[in-house]
């Protein structure tokens, strides 16, 4: 049965925006005026406002051969919310702009927005505006996330202190392995379209790539435990690259212990299947959207029972540089080999 296809031209830009935003329900008191006027109005009632923006370009950041439109909409929102949580703030609103070529139907864009709304609902965020435009080819997505934080409770990358514990949430390397598996199956399919893709029931690592989650739970836990991290950022480009960012901006060195890096059993098994080192996947993979943060040693007792937080090392004097201590006890300089959009 052929799927219905509605050309965007049949609606026009305003008709398209009305259609895609027809069911919005406002969730935050701070959203005074949302979609439908010349501009949105927000009032954070004495809180400070945190803003982050991200652009996702087809062929650079995502491949529609294996990324469903709904997942793409969800992920586009989540990766921006992750940046807000990484500031120790609460996301409250987003704007989303898309440019698309005529190969995209109304049904495809509707799928994309279903994913956007699913993420908004899960994280309690309002979509308050954006723009739609034509592009000559492909799909371009730009999302701006807006959040709020109690004055001066935001956390920067540049405020870690010597001796602070280096912590990460969740587990690392899974998203990269999910991508590796999807890319392998795409290559096989292109060479032989008759072969059905074999994703080997790897729902965990594929899910980590196609439908990541932002760590709202960790930010809530830190607040409830009365812990204010001394520095924080999200892990989008791989652990080593992010640790080096904190080192550089805080003017410090760091010691990372290989055996403390959290890697799921599924990731370890898949890495070995691919002939990859699981540690290398965690250090350089990226797109895990976990939180990397530093905290005072005296707060250790408050996190010791949280299985979602791992202490992986500590911040050292700048003269020591940033190093990883391997399982075998060897010491290597930490190098940034994370994902780089400009080295395609």
């Amino acid at each position: 049965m052929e799927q219905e296809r509605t050309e965007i031209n049949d609606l026009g830009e305003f008709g398209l925006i009305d259609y895609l935003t027809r069911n919005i329900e406002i969730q935050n008191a701070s959203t005074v005026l949302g979609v439908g006027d010349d501009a949105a109005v927000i009032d954070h009632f004495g809180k400070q406002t945190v803003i982050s923006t991200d652009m996702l370009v087809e062929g650079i950041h995502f491949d529609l051969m294996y990324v469903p439109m709904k997942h793409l909409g969800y992920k586009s929102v989540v990766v921006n919310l992750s940046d807000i949580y990484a500031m120790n703030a609460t996301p409250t609103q987003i704007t989303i702009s898309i440019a698309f070529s005529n190969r995209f139907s109304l049904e495809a864009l509707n799928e994309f927005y279903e994913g956007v709304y699913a993420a908004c609902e899960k994280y309690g965020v309002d979509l308050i505006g954006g723009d739609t435009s034509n592009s000559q080819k492909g799909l371009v997505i730009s999302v701006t996330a807006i959040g709020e934080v109690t004055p001066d409770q935001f956390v920067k990358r540049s405020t870690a202190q010597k001796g602070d514990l280096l912590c990460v949430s969740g587990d690392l390397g899974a998203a990269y392995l999910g991508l590796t598996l999807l890319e392998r199956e795409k290559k096989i399919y292109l060479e032989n379209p008759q072969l059905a893709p074999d994703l080997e029931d790897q729902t965990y690592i594929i899910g980590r790539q196609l439908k990541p989650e932002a760590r709202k739970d960790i930010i809530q836990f830190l607040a409830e435990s009365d812990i204010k991290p001394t520095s924080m950022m999200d892990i989008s480009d791989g652990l080593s690259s992010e640790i080096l960012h904190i080192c550089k901006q805080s003017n410090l060195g760091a010691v990372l212990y290989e055996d403390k890096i959290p890697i799921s059993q599924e990731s370890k098994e898949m890495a070995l299947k691919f002939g990859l080192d699981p540690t290398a996947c965690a250090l350089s993979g990226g797109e895990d959207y976990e939180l990397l943060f530093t905290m005072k040693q005296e707060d250790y007792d408050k996190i010791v029972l949280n299985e979602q937080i791992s202490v992986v090392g500590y911040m050292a004097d700048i003269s020591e540089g940033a190093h990883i201590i391997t399982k075998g006890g060897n010491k290597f300089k930490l190098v940034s080999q994370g994902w780089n959009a400009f080295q395609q």
Side-chain angles (χ1 to χ4, degrees):
M1 199 176 91
E2 204 171 312
Q3 271 192 315
E4 202 180 324
R5 179 181 167 98
T6 309
E7 298 299 331
I8 306 291
N9 292 346
D10 298 349
L11 284 166
E13 186 182 5
F14 289 114
L16 173 64
I17 292 168
D18 286 345
Y19 179 80
L20 294 173
T21 60
R22 65 198 183 281
N23 296 324
I24 289 181
E25 287 178 23
I26 299 300
Q27 302 185 67
N28 292 285
S30 55
T31 306
V32 179
L33 191 60
V35 170
D37 233 293
D38 288 303
V41 179
I42 57 178
D43 182 349
H44 278 138
F45 310 108
K47 298 247 176 129
Q48 286 176 329
T49 301
V50 182
I51 300 169
S52 173
T53 195
D54 247 337
M55 188 177 277
L56 299 165
V57 180
E58 185 180 351
I60 303 287
H61 302 99
F62 59 90
D63 186 330
L64 289 175
M65 265 198 77
Y66 52 71
V67 178
M69 288 294 277
K70 190 171 180 180
H71 286 72
L72 182 61
Y74 191 90
K75 184 173 179 175
S76 299
V77 175
V78 165
V79 301
N80 274 272
L81 303 186
S82 182
D83 282 328
I84 301 294
Y85 290 123
M87 298 297 294
N88 201 35
T90 303
T92 44
Q93 289 88 12
I94 59 161
T95 67
I96 190 154
S97 297
I98 54 173
F100 48 87
S101 67
N102 59 10
R103 78 169 212 265
F104 292 91
S105 64
L106 181 62
E107 288 75 19
L109 293 189
N110 198 45
E111 285 266 306
F112 176 83
Y113 272 85
E114 275 183 26
V116 167
Y117 292 131
C120 285
E121 194 177 332
K122 172 153 190 178
Y123 291 94
V125 167
D126 294 325
L127 174 65
I128 58 165
D131 193 17
T132 60
S133 173
N134 284 106
S135 80
Q136 285 188 316
K137 66 171 198 178
L139 179 62
V140 179
I141 305 154
S142 176
V143 181
T144 297
I146 299 156
E148 61 182 35
V149 64
T150 306
D152 300 323
Q153 283 300 301
F154 59 86
V155 176
K156 301 190 287 186
R157 299 174 180 183
S158 57
T159 40
Q161 303 290 317
K162 184 180 168 182
D164 284 350
L165 300 175
L166 193 55
C167 309
V168 295
S169 67
D171 61 81
L172 302 176
Y176 172 74
L177 286 158
L179 180 65
T180 306
L181 181 54
L182 288 163
E183 285 284 350
R184 181 193 75 181
E185 291 307 304
K186 173 190 166 182
K187 188 167 180 280
I188 292 168
Y189 172 80
L190 289 174
E191 287 167 4
N192 190 345
Q194 280 75 46
L195 282 179
D198 177 14
L199 298 177
E200 303 188 27
D201 293 329
Q202 291 291 332
T203 49
Y204 181 68
I205 65 170
I206 298 235
R208 288 295 301 266
Q209 170 57 224
L210 294 181
K211 189 175 176 280
E213 300 291 354
R215 296 312 302 248
K216 176 182 183 178
D217 58 324
I218 298 292
I219 297 305
Q220 288 173 334
F221 170 79
L222 293 173
E224 287 157 12
S225 308
D226 198 27
I227 299 168
K228 183 184 175 187
T230 52
S231 70
M232 184 157 53
M233 65 185 296
D234 73 337
I235 302 175
S236 54
D237 298 332
L239 180 61
S240 59
S241 164
E242 316 302 13
I243 289 175
L244 290 171
H245 279 303
I246 286 182
C247 286
K248 183 180 177 188
Q249 297 197 351
S250 293
N251 236 9
L252 291 170
V255 176
L256 170 68
Y257 294 96
E258 183 187 14
D259 60 354
K260 302 285 186 195
I261 299 170
I263 301 170
S264 73
Q265 195 53 38
E266 295 97 324
S267 296
K268 284 178 184 166
E269 287 167 11
M270 206 65 211
L272 296 173
K273 237 179 206 179
F274 282 133
L276 297 168
D277 175 14
T279 301
C281 295
L283 290 178
S284 303
E287 287 208 292
D288 287 309
Y289 300 104
E290 296 293 352
L291 291 171
L292 168 69
F293 61 96
T294 56
M295 65 174 200
K296 294 183 171 72
Q297 288 192 27
E298 52 262 38
D299 284 331
Y300 175 74
D301 289 346
K302 297 178 184 174
I303 63 147
V304 75
L305 293 176
N306 189 324
E307 289 178 0
Q308 287 297 308
I309 297 175
S310 304
V311 178
V312 293
Y314 63 91
M315 301 308 289
D317 194 83
I318 191 167
S319 61
E320 280 192 50
H323 290 92
I324 181 167
I325 310 286
T326 66
K327 289 170 184 166
N330 295 314
K331 186 176 177 182
F332 291 105
K333 194 175 178 204
L334 209 53
V335 288
S336 175
Q337 287 176 319
W339 191 84
N340 183 338
F342 297 101
Q343 289 180 347
Q344 287 297 299

